[in-house]
Amino acid sequence: MTAQAAAAVAGLLLVRWMPVEDYALYTIAVTVIGAITLLTRGGVRLGLAALLAKAWPDRQSAAEAVDAAMRVRLLVSALTMPPILALAWFLLDRAGASGLLIPAVLAILFAIWLADTYGAVIDQVLYFDRKAPRVQALDSGIAWARLALIGGLRLAGAVSMLAALATSLFQSAARIPAMRHWVSQALDGQRRRAPAELVGTVRKVALRQIPVDLFVALQTQATIFYLTQNGGGIELATYGALARIAQLLAPFNAVILAYFVPHFAKVTEGVAKRVLGYVLIGAVPGIGLFAIALAAPQALLFFIGPAYAGQ
């Protein structure tokens, strides 16, 4: 929960401190990062979890599962990264980004993908090794460190789109040393090459998941595409700013997942009634935010700043 809280605060501070023109471009970059993560990680993560569920606690088989997941992620990335980066170039160009700025943004996006490839997904091993609190503590520490970096940028008068993306790169890259060390410990230092049939199993799951993830990713990208084609920078920035407000709900979602899901897993009777109750409780923060938006929309300016007062 603390990691989500730090991310929510960081997002709102960037909205308030970044020039509107920069934030419009930053909105594009953030949605592209989300698409990269979803399309290159989602199916591979599911495939690795399925293999570990069968293999654990056999360290040798688990090491083979990790190797299979890494190889399949590179394959999936080879299929999805070129069109994603091409779309990012198009959207940034349509939004008015300069010729030199676009390659710089794409380079950071590629670096974020690379860092995520070697610092995420493999954390599944730690969950099976009952080291989830360690992972959560690491993510929380990194999230608060990123928040401190953003504060430092503000003090230095250097808050910009590229600087903000650099803090996102830091958040992904800072995970790598500890994650790889802990996973190596959990696997007793074993590094095994996965047999072809194991790679095929993960590949099948990952490729089957791509259409689902693509549908989810396109919903956000379609909105960004529409705004770059028919709106201006202020409309695009406002969309991104309002999305940051919605991020305030992330800590509540984390609490729901942490406390409600374990209880729900034990339910054997009255399942529908229990699900409805959990959904209603989880919806309370969102309903409250929606009510504020209807009754006193100006109150939202407290979160995103006066630059968006005319929207």
Side-chain angles (χ1 to χ4, degrees):
M1 177 177 175
T2 57
Q4 289 86 350
V9 172
L12 291 173
L13 290 179
L14 288 174
V15 172
R16 294 182 65 90
W17 293 344
M18 199 181 297
V20 171
E21 297 78 9
D22 262 20
Y23 199 79
L25 301 178
Y26 181 71
T27 297
I28 294 174
V30 168
T31 60
V32 171
I33 291 172
I36 289 173
T37 301
L38 184 64
L39 291 171
T40 67
R41 186 203 290 183
V44 176
R45 193 177 184 89
L46 291 174
L48 177 57
L51 292 183
L52 289 175
K54 296 178 181 179
W56 198 261
D58 184 336
R59 265 57 176 180
Q60 178 177 318
S61 298
E64 292 176 350
V66 169
D67 178 70
M70 292 296 292
R71 288 161 62 184
V72 172
R73 182 164 191 186
L74 292 176
L75 170 64
V76 172
S77 297
L79 296 174
T80 57
M81 283 293 288
I84 290 174
L85 294 179
L87 177 63
W89 185 297
F90 174 79
L91 293 175
L92 289 167
D93 179 69
R94 294 295 297 176
S98 65
L100 294 178
L101 181 60
I102 295 176
V105 173
L106 295 184
I108 296 177
L109 294 178
F110 182 83
I112 289 174
W113 163 80
L114 188 63
D116 188 76
T117 297
Y118 290 98
V121 176
I122 59 173
D123 58 6
Q124 289 287 302
V125 173
L126 299 177
Y127 293 128
F128 278 87
D129 199 34
R130 299 182 180 180
K131 298 294 193 304
R134 182 182 294 184
V135 177
Q136 293 164 355
L138 174 66
D139 288 340
S140 294
I142 293 174
W144 286 102
R146 177 177 180 253
L147 180 58
L149 282 176
I150 292 172
L153 290 173
R154 172 65 172 179
L155 291 176
V159 178
S160 67
M161 191 262 284
L162 287 180
L165 286 179
T167 66
S168 296
L169 174 57
F170 160 78
Q171 189 165 17
S172 296
R175 241 176 164 248
I176 297 175
M179 199 59 58
R180 293 180 69 83
H181 176 67
W182 291 340
V183 169
S184 178
Q185 283 184 330
L187 297 176
D188 296 333
Q190 295 197 51
R191 300 183 66 179
R192 308 281 300 189
R193 185 167 179 83
E197 58 269 22
L198 213 60
V199 176
T201 299
V202 179
R203 182 172 61 243
K204 183 178 179 180
V205 173
L207 294 180
R208 190 170 54 198
Q209 184 66 21
I210 286 179
V212 178
D213 292 338
L214 183 62
F215 175 76
V216 175
L218 285 178
Q219 294 181 60
T220 303
Q221 299 303 320
T223 303
I224 298 297
F225 178 81
Y226 176 82
L227 291 174
T228 55
Q229 295 294 106
N230 302 288
I234 184 63
E235 287 82 8
L236 188 55
T238 301
Y239 169 79
L242 293 175
R244 294 304 96 193
I245 294 178
Q247 196 177 22
L248 288 172
L249 303 179
F252 297 101
N253 293 334
V255 171
I256 291 171
L257 289 174
Y259 293 100
F260 289 176
V261 172
H263 288 290
F264 179 72
K266 302 175 183 178
V267 174
T268 57
E269 298 180 357
V271 174
K273 183 178 180 181
R274 187 67 64 91
V275 169
L276 180 60
Y278 289 161
V279 169
L280 290 175
I281 294 173
V284 168
I287 293 173
L289 188 60
F290 181 71
I292 293 174
L294 289 178
Q298 66 277 7
L300 299 181
L301 294 177
F302 172 79
F303 297 107
I304 62 178
Y308 301 91
Q311 299 302 303

